[in-house]
């Protein structure tokens, strides 16, 4: 009999689903009508769990699966998993670390360029027929040059470093803040976030910072200033959205490029209504290449755990 795998989130890559189905008996939890009853009846038979970063898995669910050997997160966020409990059970929790780096960094730069150059507003201006009605050059406000901007990076991990490489290629001076200075990073370390914002034309949030909340507040936005831009490809809750909304409305910052939000998929109407924002639906890793790589890492983690090995991507064992 094939090992039993409980899948809490869909995987969008057909080849990965085919591979899972060929190796395991996959139970798609998201398609089960009476989930509590099913778990009570079948939980003891589950050998592996596949979940997403947002969904994670509760301790209560894990307690009903005494024989599970791995929780494979198809993403990098693990704050929805009780890692301490998993450690107490010597249960590997894996994540797809590294697979998302290039795409997330690409989107960070894309959001920043789009925000600086008013790409989305310009697109709407043409699509809505307004260019024909207003052909004069002054009909669209002048934009801001990205090349040479002073870029401040919050979180110099994998994504932060990849953003720095890309921004440096545009001639941007780079500064960063993190829990400590990095010896292998050639850029200037600024210990205080407020000081980094004051020294930046654009502030790019790349920190995982699972426990941080609202660190980008009115004071930081005021330090960034009326010609400054904010980009967030990290965690929505790093930003105080009420403070950001007010700063945009008052013109206290120039604009924002946001891929993540505090209460997804609910995005504040004020952020949707202004041309000062460029918005995405938490899509930084949403390419075929990255999603396939993530799926393969999930497959590898499950296979390693069920073979009695420590999964290479384990964060808990």
């Amino acid at each position: 009999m094939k090992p039993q795998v409980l899948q809490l989130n869909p995987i969008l890559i057909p080849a990965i689903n085919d591979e899972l189905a060929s190796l395991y008996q996959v139970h798609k939890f998201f398609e089960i009508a009476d989930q509590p009853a099913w778990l009570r009846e079948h939980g003891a038979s589950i050998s592996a769990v596949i979940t997403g970063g947002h969904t994670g898995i509760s301790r209560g669910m894990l307690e009903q699966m005494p024989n599970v050997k791995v929780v494979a997160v198809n993403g990098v966020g693990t704050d929805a998993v009780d890692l301490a409990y998993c450690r107490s059970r010597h249960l590997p929790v894996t994540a797809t670390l590294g697979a998302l780096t290039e795409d997330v960094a690409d989107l960070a730069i894309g959001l920043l360029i789009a925000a600086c150059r008013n790409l989305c507003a310009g697109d709407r201006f043409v699509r809505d027929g307004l260019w024909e009605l207003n052909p004069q050059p002054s009909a669209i406000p002048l934009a801001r040059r990205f090349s040479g901007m002073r870029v401040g990076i919050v979180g110099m991990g994998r994504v932060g470093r990849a953003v720095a490489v890309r921004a440096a290629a545009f001639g941007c001076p780079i500064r960063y803040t993190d829990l400590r200075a990095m010896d292998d990073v050639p850029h200037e370390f600024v210990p205080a976030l407020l000081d980094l914002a004051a020294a930046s034309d654009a502030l790019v949030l790349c920190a995982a910072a699972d426990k941080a909340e609202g660190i980008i507040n009115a004071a930081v936005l005021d330090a960034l200033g009326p010609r400054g831009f904010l980009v967030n490809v990290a965690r929505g809750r790093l930003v105080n959205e009420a403070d950001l909304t007010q700063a945009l409305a008052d013109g206290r910052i120039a604009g924002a490029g946001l891929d993540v939000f505090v209460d997804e998929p609910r995005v504040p109407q004020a952020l949707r209504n202004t041309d000062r924002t460029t918005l995405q639906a938490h899509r930084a890793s949403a390419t075929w290449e990255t999603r396939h790589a993530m799926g393969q890492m999930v497959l590898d983690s499950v296979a390693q755990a069920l073979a009695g090995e420590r999964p290479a991507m384990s964060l808990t064992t």
Side-chain angles (χ1 to χ4, degrees):
M1 184 177 178
K2 293 179 180 179
Q4 307 287 299
V5 173
L6 185 62
Q7 184 180 344
L8 303 188
N9 291 96
I11 291 177
L12 302 179
I13 305 299
I16 299 299
N17 289 312
D18 291 345
E19 184 75 5
L20 280 169
S22 71
L23 295 171
Y24 311 110
Q25 180 64 48
V26 179
H27 303 282
K28 297 182 178 180
F29 200 59
F30 50 90
E31 294 181 351
I32 295 172
D34 191 344
Q35 295 176 339
W38 188 94
L39 194 59
R40 285 192 298 271
E41 182 177 352
H42 301 285
S45 68
I46 298 300
S47 297
V49 172
I50 296 171
T51 187
H54 291 294
T55 302
I57 186 169
S58 70
R59 176 171 177 166
M61 286 186 67
L62 286 172
E63 287 173 341
Q64 296 181 73
M65 291 183 275
N67 298 308
V68 70
K69 295 178 173 61
V70 64
V71 174
V73 178
N74 188 29
V76 296
T78 57
D79 42 318
V81 180
D82 189 334
L83 297 182
Y85 171 71
C86 291
R87 290 189 185 98
S88 74
R89 279 182 57 172
H90 306 288
L91 176 62
V93 176
T94 67
T96 57
L97 302 175
L100 295 75
T101 301
E102 304 304 324
D103 278 346
V104 176
D106 285 352
L107 187 67
I109 296 299
L111 284 170
L112 184 47
I113 292 174
C116 292
R117 296 300 300 269
N118 300 322
L119 293 186
C120 294
D123 178 84
R124 289 192 295 272
F125 186 81
V126 175
R127 288 180 186 275
D128 293 345
L130 298 178
W131 193 15
E132 292 179 59
L133 300 176
N134 303 275
Q136 63 273 22
S138 61
I140 301 178
L142 293 177
R144 178 79 184 277
R145 177 186 296 166
F146 168 58
S147 294
M149 265 191 169
R150 301 172 301 160
V151 173
I153 297 175
V154 180
M156 192 54 84
R158 290 182 178 90
V159 172
R161 292 169 187 237
V163 169
V165 169
R166 287 155 174 74
F170 284 84
C172 298
I174 310 295
R175 297 178 179 86
Y176 73 98
T177 194
D178 209 309
L179 297 177
R180 58 177 178 82
M182 310 289 181
D183 294 337
D184 59 341
V185 171
H187 310 296
E188 180 183 346
F189 173 66
V190 181
L193 177 56
L194 204 63
D195 293 338
L196 180 66
S200 302
D201 298 307
L203 202 60
V204 183
L205 308 186
C206 302
D210 286 340
K211 298 185 184 304
E213 187 171 348
I215 61 173
I216 305 301
N217 54 25
V220 172
L221 296 169
D222 284 341
L224 186 58
R227 285 176 55 79
F229 293 84
L230 176 72
V231 169
N232 190 4
V233 291
R235 298 285 189 272
R237 65 176 173 271
L238 293 178
V239 177
N240 182 315
E241 287 183 343
D243 286 357
L244 174 60
T245 297
Q246 194 61 54
L248 288 165
D250 296 344
R252 290 174 13 239
I253 68 168
L258 308 171
D259 183 51
V260 289
F261 305 88
V262 172
D263 185 23
E264 297 174 358
R266 289 162 286 277
V267 177
Q269 192 67 42
L271 293 178
R272 290 188 270 162
N273 286 347
T274 177
D275 278 344
R276 291 181 181 269
T277 57
T278 302
L279 309 177
Q280 289 287 293
H282 204 147
R283 301 275 293 167
S285 67
T287 68
W288 284 102
E289 294 83 357
T290 284
R291 292 296 171 87
H292 189 279
M294 291 167 64
Q296 186 59 56
M297 292 171 81
V298 167
L299 283 168
D300 292 346
S301 293
V302 172
Q304 290 160 5
L306 298 191
E309 304 169 5
R310 176 190 177 276
M313 290 295 168
S314 177
L315 301 171
T316 53
T317 59

